[in-house]
Amino acid sequence: MGKIILTDRTKGFISIIFVMLIWGSSFSVTRTVVQEVPPYIFATLRHIIACMALLPFYLHRRRMVKQQLPYGKLALMGLAGVTVYYGLFNFAMKYISASTGALIEGLIPVFIAIPAAIILKEQLHKKLITGMVLCVTGVILVGFIGSPKGDTHALAGSVLMLLAVCCWSAYTLLSRSVKETDTLLTTAVSTFIGSALLIPIAAVNIGLHGMPEISLRAWAGIVYLGIFASALAYFLYNRALESLPAAQVGNFLNLNPVIGAVIAMIFLKEAFTGWQIAGGLLVLAGIWLSAKRVKH
């Protein structure tokens, strides 16, 4: 048998699919943990674990790569993609269901594609635009028209999640702008900085309200999110951005509503309607269309 050679583009697709599987599960896990642990304490513990997981790989890589790092942009990445994003995300998940949170995050492609076209001069070809329209239509079907009765739709939580979407768009564009920098170093340093900024916020929270009692189940969720959803997934996400346009990577984020809603249905017993199934199929069709190579 001949040796299988994967192109950078194929590796990018594989990376982003793994990321979606991990992040799709994070909504249900976060929804469970945040019922016990205050949002910023939760975010801090999660990212301390992520930093511990990344540190040995960072030290090894730093000895091999003597590249000058763009610390200014990495600091902004850490602030937007870790400190602010996870504060907003965790607070939002206190007030909305796991499936609703996943579905609102399905609007991320629009928040990525338009700034990417304006700032990074990425071309929005017809297939990508059509795929994006299908994805957003699917998200609307899944998240709003098809939402089951009795599902939580607190306005405050929805607004917080939309603000988190804006932060993730900024993180994605910043990551795309430093794609020439080593991926592991980019991921590690931005995570270190963002986590460091979380610590004083958590310290104030503990000083005012004390350290909460955390069950074994919640600790398991925090460790899973720290190692897989933060350390590993951030590395794979940034690797995907090296070989794929930001808008195309953004469209793959529409898998989150589908995966997140299915996992919430299975493990949290959240309802899943016919409209949501139809919307999920539209999301998959949009991702398939946007992922097709354009013939020049």
Side-chain angles (χ1 to χ4, degrees), residues 17-48:
I17 288 171
F18 271 110
V19 170
M20 292 305 98
L21 292 173
I22 295 171
W23 281 347
S25 68
S26 69
F27 294 96
S28 293
V29 178
T30 299
R31 175 69 177 165
T32 301
V33 176
V34 83
Q35 303 306 311
E36 294 186 31
V37 188
Y40 266 107
I41 296 177
F42 173 21
T44 303
L45 293 174
R46 168 180 177 167
H47 284 89
I48 288 174

Side-chain angles (χ1 to χ4, degrees), residues 28 99 260-273:
S28 293
S99 57
V262 169
I263 291 176
M265 177 186 68
I266 294 172
F267 293 100
L268 301 184
K269 308 303 180 183
E270 293 183 2
F272 201 55
T273 67

Side-chain angles (χ1 to χ4, degrees), residues 47-56 192:
H47 284 89
I48 288 174
I49 293 171
C51 289
M52 292 170 62
L54 284 169
L55 184 59
F192 295 159

Side-chain angles (χ1 to χ4, degrees), residues 5-19:
I5 301 176
L6 299 178
T7 64
D8 287 340
R9 187 169 180 272
T10 302
K11 290 178 182 177
F13 283 129
I14 293 173
S15 294
I16 198 63
I17 288 171
F18 271 110
V19 170

